[in-house]
Each structure stands twice: as structure tokens, then as C-alpha cells.
């Protein structure tokens, strides 16, 4: 059988357990995850070549139809991921002890019994939640879409679900439906809204899958008898009905699946695909399982060195070291790093899905708000160099080989270099300069003829002197950059 390995979401299945590679990298730091890491030995790659029992939209549409469907997403470049659920109550602490690994995994990592975890629901009253403020925050950050957890692996639905009562409207004193409120606000403020839905793992529904952590035993890796049951029954009684609810009641622009295991056979996945096919504008990622490739590659917590030329892809990343809120995690990346990531990803033709984790009151941590606002200020001035652009035309490498570390393929790992990146518009080439040179910037060969150069943040667009030859371009620069993080040079090019 031919294995086509999705390059970004290179997952591993061992006896029903699939581990996303990047999640594993994240886990490496956390001791509890070392068992999960160990199970990678003897793994096999995720197969997306299986003939599909039901054809998905990607199998049937023309290239032009696909371009039209993906258009807004490709132009957007920057989205907000939101991980929010019951796990924000413990916020990484259980029985008074800090629990390692990501916050939304606390039930699994700390082996919390189903009944104890479900007892969090009556305590969940996030009255500080404001859909208006969250949408406004995304907009002020320059983000063009939002993807929020409608149900994470813990099985708790953050919307009004008739299919399962373990949800925010029925099961908590809050009684409000944040997804409805977000959908209305997103519509009002003009931003796309998508939903993450954990279709495969569900730790509170009988039959839902669980990835292994700690000493959980094969074949199910469940830690509570209440989790045992039949996967197909779980899918038919909970996941598929809930997916139908979110698709029909909220009309999301994106469905973001996660952590497929080999429980998700092609046949079962095709039942979900039948549902997805009823929504022809929908965009969905490559984590459904059952051999379906979906629309988007989903590198997690990293930027692929070369991007995925010719494919749609989205790097999802945390701002600190967790997706779901963790009170003790203050390891926030700097605004400089976050902006460089956005620029780096754009220069490789991808999208950046940057996560926030609201707390149990529904409040977004101030450190996250601050960084997003700073990113937005840069984008207010320089957004033209990001939105709707495509990958660089320069073949200058953006990384150097690591002298010590080797990747899974045995080749040296790459270390990113931060001099400059470039993005492309039909009649312009943008050069985002991180390390401001003295005198002039030397760029490699460009296939287009440059007719003028100026700094994007210079309101007068004062012309910069430049020289173009077969070898490359030299642009004379003022002594100081206009922005300490990234100053954009615009090269106007002839078509
Ligand atoms: C991982 C984790 C999950 C998180 C997701 C985001 O696969 O299981 O907790 O939601 O990554 O990409």
C-alpha cells in the first residue's frame, strides 16, 4: 500500500493511539509525557491515500472552485485560536499540585475520574466573558478569523447542545451560549468564525478515544471505567449529532478537527464527510482521520522551513506553553517573536493561528491582550505587506543547518536566521527587515524588474536609491529603522 504522508501533521499510530509530532515535541519538556513519547517507537505514519468511501469536496471540486472557496482564508494570513473550556477552572492545578503539560489536557494528564471532572461544570460561571470584547480584540490585533474550541478532548460542549447535556448552557450556572454570542458578534464586526471540534478523543463520553499519557493501559488508554464503550456508538450518539448542530446552527467558516486515532476508520470518517459536504463553503483541516486530507496542513508549534509550496497551511502556536489557560504559565513569547513568526509564515505562504486561553471568568490574560494589541499596531501600518500576499520570490535561505541537532530524517535541524523576509503582491515585493544594516541592504536575484523603492511606514514614501543587476538588488537605507521589530521596504515592480 502506498503511504502518502502529510508533511505537517505527521502523526503516529500505535495500537489505536495517534500522537501528533509537534504535540510530542511540546510534551518533551513535561515529564508526564515521556511515556507518550516512548510509544513513538515502532510507529507508522498516518495514511491519507485510502480510497474514500464518500468523496470529500477536495476530491470533486475544480482548481478554480477550490481557489474561490479558499480565497478569504488565503488572504487572511492571521487568525485567533481560542482554547476555552472547563479546564480553565483548575488552570493547570489539581489537588493543590501543579500538573505538567498543556492546561486543556489536565483531565488526562492527572487521570481525573469522569465524575470529578464533570463536577467542574456547576462551578463554571464565566460572567467576565464578552463576545464583543474578544471579537474586538481579534480585530485590533489585525486578525481576520477566529477558531474557538466548541468541544475539546474533555467532551464539554461550549454551546447549546441538545445532543448531549454536558454543555455550557444546560450544565452550568452561566446558562449562556458563548458560541452563539461570538457568532453574532463576528457577523456584526465582520470577521470569520470557525470551530475547533475534537471528533475523536472524548474523555467523558463512553467510547470516546483517549491518547495515552502516564500509565494508562492499552488498548483504550482509558483511566476510568465510565469511559469504556464503543467508538462508533460515541460517534453516532454524540460527535456526529453535535457536529450537525454546530454546522447547522452557527454556520462556521472553518471546522478544525484534532488528534485522529485509527478508531476513525475511512467508513466512520466518511459519515462526517457526508455532513461536511452539505456545507460547500466550509474549510476543514487535515486532522479528521480516516484517510481524508482536508484543506489545510496544520504544523503545530513550528514554522516549516520551506512552508508547503502549492498547499494551504496554517501554523498554530501558543503565546506561552499552553493552549488552555494555566495560572502558572507566564512564559510568554515577546511581541517581537510573535510578529517575526507572522512575517516568517507569510513569507512562506502560510497562515498564523495564534492562540489565547481565557480564564475561568472568561477574561483573556492581560499579557496576551497586550501582545495582540502591539501586533495590531504594527499591522495597522504594515498590513499591506501581509494580507493577501504570497510567498517570497527570493531563494535566499531563511535558516542555517544546526551544527549539533539532527531531525527525524537524520538531516541537520535548521536554525532560523532573522535578517529579513519577503512577501509578494502582483505589482510589489515587500522586504521586512529585522536586522537593520548600515548603509545598504543587499538582496539576492529577483525575477522582476524593480521600478521604485520606499519604506512602507514612511507616509511620504520618500524614494530610496537602489541598484538592480543580475546578481541582486542593493537598496540604500536611512541610518535608523522606522520600527525596532520590522521595517518594511516596498519594491514596486513592473508586471
Ligand atoms: C494538540 C492538542 C490539543 C490542542 C491542539 C491544537 O493536538 O491535543 O490540546 O488543542 O493540539 O493544535
Amino acid at each position: 500500500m502506498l503511504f502518502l504522508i502529510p508533511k505537517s501533521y505527521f502523526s503516529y499510530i500505535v495500537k489505536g493511539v495517534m500522537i501528533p509530532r509537534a504535540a510530542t515535541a511540546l510534551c518533551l519538556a513535561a515529564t508526564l509525557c515521556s511515556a507518550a513519547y516512548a510509544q513513538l517507537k515502532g510507529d507508522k505514519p498516518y495514511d491519507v491515500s485510502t480510497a474514500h468511501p464518500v468523496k470529500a469536496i477536495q476530491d470533486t471540486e475544480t482548481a478554480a472552485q477550490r481557489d474561490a472557496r479558499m480565497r478569504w482564508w488565503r488572504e487572511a494570513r492571521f487568525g485567533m485560536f481560542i482554547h476555552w473550556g472547563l479546564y480553565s477552572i483548575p488552570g493547570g492545578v489539581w489537588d493543590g499540585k501543579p500538573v505538567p503539560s498543556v492546561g486543556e489536557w489536565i483531565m488526562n494528564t492527572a487521570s481525573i475520574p469522569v465524575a470529578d471532572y464533570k463536577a467542574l461544570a456547576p462551578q463554571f460561571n464565566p460572567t467576565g466573558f464578552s463576545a464583543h470584547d474578544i471579537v474586538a480584540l481579534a480585530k485590533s490585533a489585525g486578525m481576520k478569523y477566529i477558531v474557538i474550541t466548541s468541544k475539546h478532548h474533555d467532551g464539554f460542549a461550549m454551546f447549546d447542545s441538545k445532543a448531549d447535556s454536558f454543555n455550557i448552557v444546560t450544565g452550568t450556572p452561566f446558562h449562556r451560549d458563548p458560541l452563539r454570542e461570538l457568532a453574532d458578534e463576528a457577523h456584526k464586526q465582520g470577521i470569520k468564525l470557525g470551530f475547533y471540534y475534537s471528533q475523536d478523543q472524548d474523555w467523558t463520553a463512553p467510547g470516546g478515544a483517549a491518547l495515552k499519557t502516564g500509565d494508562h493501559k492499552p488498548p483504550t488508554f482509558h483511566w476510568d471505567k465510565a469511559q469504556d464503550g464503543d467508538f462508533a456508538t460515541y460517534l453516532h450518539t454524540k460527535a456526529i449529532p453535535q457536529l450537525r448542530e454546530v454546522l447547522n446552527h452557527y454556520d462556521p467558516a472553518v471546522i478544525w478537527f484534532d488528534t485522529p486515532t485509527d478508531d476513525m476508520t475511512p467508513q466512520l470518517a466518511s459519515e462526517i464527510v457526508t455532513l461536511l459536504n452539505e456545507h460547500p463553503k466550509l474549510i476543514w483541516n487535515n486532522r479528521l482521520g480516516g484517510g481524508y486530507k482536508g484543506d489545510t496542513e496544520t504544523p503545530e508549534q513550528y514554522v516549516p522551513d520551506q512552508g508547503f509550496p502549492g498547499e494551504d497551511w496554517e501554523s498554530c502556536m501558543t503565546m506561552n506553553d499552553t493552549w488552555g489557560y494555566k495560572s502558572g504559565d507566564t512564559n510568554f513569547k515577546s511581541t517581537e517573536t510573535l510578529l517575526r513568526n507572522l512575517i516568517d509564515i507569510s513569507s512562506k505562504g502560510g497562515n498564523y493561528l495564534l492562540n489565547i486561553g481565557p480564564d475561568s471568568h472568561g477574561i483573556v490574560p492581560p499579557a496576551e491582550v497586550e501582545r495582540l494589541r502591539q501586533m495590531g499596531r504594527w499591522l495597522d501600518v504594515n498590513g499591506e505587506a501581509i494580507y493577501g500576499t504570497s510567498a517570497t520570490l527570493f531563494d535566499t535561505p531563511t535558516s542555517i543547518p544546526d551544527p549539533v541537532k539532527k531531525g527525524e530524517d537524520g538531516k541537520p535541524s535548521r536554525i532560523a536566521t532573522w535578517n529579513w523576509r519577503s512577501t509578494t503582491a502582483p505589482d510589489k515585493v515587500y522586504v521586512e527587515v529585522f536586522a537593520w544594516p548600515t548603509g545598504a541592504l543587499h538582496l539576492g536575484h529577483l525575477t522582476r524588474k524593480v521600478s521604485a523603492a520606499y519604506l512602507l511606514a514612511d507616509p511620504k514614501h520618500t524614494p530610496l536609491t537602489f541598484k538592480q543587476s543580475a546578481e541582486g538588488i542593493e537598496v540604500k537605507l536611512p541610518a535608523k529603522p522606522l520600527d525596532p521589530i520590522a521595517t518594511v521596504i516596498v519594491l514596486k515592480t513592473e508586471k
Side-chain angles (χ1 to χ4, degrees), residues 20 23 81 83 102 104-105 152-153 196 256 258-259 287 300 316 323:
F81 216 176
H83 277 69
V102 284
E104 73 284 1
W105 272 72
H152 206 267
H153 310 328
Y196 169 109
W256 217 97
D258 203 7
T259 58
R287 299 190 185 184
E300 184 171 316
C316 53
W323 303 93

Side-chain angles (χ1 to χ4, degrees), residues 277-352:
N277 284 346
E278 291 167 18
H279 300 265
K281 287 193 189 152
L282 190 71
I283 293 172
W284 46 284
N285 69 356
N286 66 344
R287 299 190 185 184
L288 170 62
Y292 286 94
K293 189 176 185 310
D295 291 308
T296 56
E297 300 287 322
T298 54
E300 184 171 316
Q301 300 287 30
Y302 75 101
V303 181
D305 196 46
Q306 309 286 330
F308 295 97
E311 293 188 59
D312 293 300
W313 62 275
E314 178 189 62
S315 277
C316 53
M317 290 196 198
T318 50
M319 281 204 208
N320 46 0
D321 294 323
T322 182
W323 303 93
Y325 176 75
K326 263 187 113 170
S327 53
D329 186 341
T330 53
N331 190 26
F332 288 100
K333 296 169 189 75
S334 64
T335 305
E336 178 180 66
T337 299
L338 299 172
L339 262 176
R340 281 181 177 183
N341 286 343
L342 172 64
I343 297 166
D344 190 26
I345 290 166
S346 302
S347 79
K348 292 165 182 168
N351 281 10
Y352 191 26

Side-chain angles (χ1 to χ4, degrees), residues 115-136:
D116 294 0
Y117 192 83
K118 282 194 159 180
L120 290 171
Q123 301 170 40
F124 196 43
N125 196 13
T127 49
F129 170 77
S130 159
H132 172 274
D133 290 0
I134 289 195
V135 172

